[in-house]
Amino acid sequence: MIKSQAALKDYDWLCIVPAGGLGSRLGKLTEKQAKPSLAVAFDETGTVTRMIDIPLRAVKKTGGGALVSRCFAAESLDFVHDYDHVRTVSSCIDDSPIDTLLYHLRELEASRADHIGIVPADTNITAATLERMRIILDISGADAVLLSTRHLEGHNVRSMNKDGTLHTPNEDMEQVGDLGVHIFRREWLLERLRRCREEDPLKPREVWHDIYDVHNPKGRIYLYIPEHDLIDVDMGTPAAFQKMVTEFNAHLQDSNGNIVFPGASIHPDSANCIALPGSISTVGLKGVIVPENTVVAAHHDCLQP
């Protein structure tokens, strides 16, 4: 069901922003709200930044339109309607990005976008990185560009040729991690989406096998590693979330190393904790994240990074 009406056909490039997962890696933090709705920063004026604000602002700054796919606790993402370049889709199932692209295939075909991207809602990405990926797509002649890293832990690992393109799997080449950010040449992607549409509609779909066809590559895929190789891109793990919030909110840090967001309070015996908006701690805590609008009376009610 369409919740907002941004005219995506008018943008030079379109980006799908998957925001519908359960966010189970963040445990208590996402029991009642979608992971991308979590507050990650407050500036000195009190303006809040939610997780999904980061990729949406980056897409907007590069002149793109965004299609946000929601599922779990969709109402917690209603604030994205404030963006004039965003259109939201609510689904009763946790669709993959390909399913969402297929659902809107006619819209993609009708648009004048030359590039179509996928940027997960929990991605800490800058407009400069997205713009660089689009430039590379144009000047390299590649069919798609993936944001990659040499820091491999927890990432989908791929082989890379010396010229930076995707290599046939299982050969002795440089190994890099796929960070889940993709930008495709429009016609190349649409041809593959049309092929998926003709297949069994109940078949589970996945980017690497259904778009890139990794066991029989039919396109030139560029793996982009920024000059300053990225590490903190995925905000979806407890450790990454805590590190990011701490770095973004140094001005909120108290003498015990706690980050206390506006509207939150934390017990004076607590140390190295993050108290998200509206949370209250009635006991001393050590190195935990307190969910938004939660009263904490015992350690097991918090997320241990």
Side-chain angles (χ1 to χ4, degrees):
M1 178 171 60
I2 300 299
K3 293 293 188 181
S4 60
Q5 300 298 324
L8 297 186
K9 65 181 179 65
D10 295 333
Y11 289 89
D12 290 334
W13 80 288
L14 299 180
C15 184
I16 180 171
V17 182
L22 292 175
S24 55
R25 291 183 298 175
L26 289 179
K28 292 283 183 180
L29 297 182
T30 52
E31 279 189 339
K32 298 179 181 179
Q33 65 184 103
K35 176 174 65 175
S37 72
L38 291 173
V40 295
F42 273 89
D43 64 19
E44 286 78 357
T45 68
T47 301
V48 66
T49 293
R50 305 286 181 183
M51 192 178 287
I52 196 174
D53 286 323
I54 295 173
L56 290 184
R57 290 170 184 169
V59 171
K60 182 178 179 68
K61 193 170 182 179
T62 58
L67 180 65
V68 175
S69 177
R70 305 184 298 170
C71 181
F72 172 71
E75 67 284 351
S76 64
L77 289 166
D78 281 347
F79 63 91
V80 303
H81 299 153
D82 294 336
Y83 289 100
D84 58 10
H85 71 302
V86 171
R87 191 170 181 176
T88 61
V89 183
S90 293
S91 172
C92 60
I93 58 174
D94 184 9
D95 292 336
S96 73
I98 294 182
D99 290 323
T100 305
L101 287 168
L102 280 170
Y103 187 77
H104 292 278
L105 182 55
R106 286 187 180 181
E107 185 173 53
L108 297 178
E109 290 173 328
S111 78
R112 62 182 179 87
D114 50 2
H115 301 152
I116 297 172
I118 298 174
V119 179
D122 61 353
T123 302
N124 182 15
I125 195 166
T126 65
T129 296
L130 288 180
E131 191 60 30
R132 181 60 179 163
M133 291 176 69
R134 294 187 64 211
I135 291 171
I136 288 172
L137 191 58
D138 280 334
I139 66 177
S140 69
D143 296 302
V145 175
L146 278 70
L147 185 61
S148 301
T149 179
R150 290 187 174 89
H151 302 276
L152 304 180
E153 273 190 52
H155 298 296
N156 199 351
V157 178
R158 301 292 164 185
S159 302
M160 186 174 71
N161 283 315
K162 291 182 180 179
D163 66 355
T165 56
L166 179 68
H167 194 74
T168 304
N170 303 320
E171 295 200 22
D172 186 22
M173 303 295 288
E174 181 179 6
Q175 302 295 298
V176 299
D178 160 34
L179 292 170
V181 178
H182 312 246
I183 300 182
F184 310 96
R185 194 175 299 280
R186 176 177 176 271
E187 290 303 324
W188 185 83
L189 175 66
L190 293 182
E191 184 275 327
R192 278 149 183 77
L193 289 173
R194 294 180 187 119
R195 182 188 63 191
C196 289
R197 182 179 57 185
E198 295 169 358
E199 296 176 350
D200 179 2
L202 298 179
K203 170 191 171 185
R205 295 186 176 94
E206 192 264 343
V207 170
W208 280 102
H209 290 92
D210 293 283
I211 299 299
Y212 295 124
D213 195 4
V214 290
H215 296 295
N216 184 24
K218 297 178 181 177
R220 188 165 184 262
I221 315 303
Y222 195 100
L223 289 84
Y224 171 54
I225 301 175
E227 182 178 351
H228 301 290
D229 198 352
L230 301 174
I231 302 174
D232 302 320
V233 172
D234 180 2
M235 297 182 277
T237 65
F241 183 81
Q242 185 183 46
K243 185 174 187 294
M244 179 183 187
V245 170
T246 301
E247 290 179 353
F248 279 8
N249 301 281
H251 59 286
L252 298 177
Q253 193 163 357
D254 66 20
S255 59
N256 290 330
N258 301 303
I259 301 292
V260 184
F261 277 26
S265 64
I266 197 161
H267 193 277
D269 292 339
S270 298
N272 301 315
C273 296
I274 295 172
L276 294 177
S279 64
I280 299 173
S281 165
T282 62
V283 294
L285 303 170
K286 304 294 181 184
V288 299
I289 305 171
V290 185
E292 294 186 26
N293 302 312
T294 301
V295 176
V296 179
H299 289 239
H300 60 76
D301 289 331
C302 303
L303 178 68
Q304 197 83 33

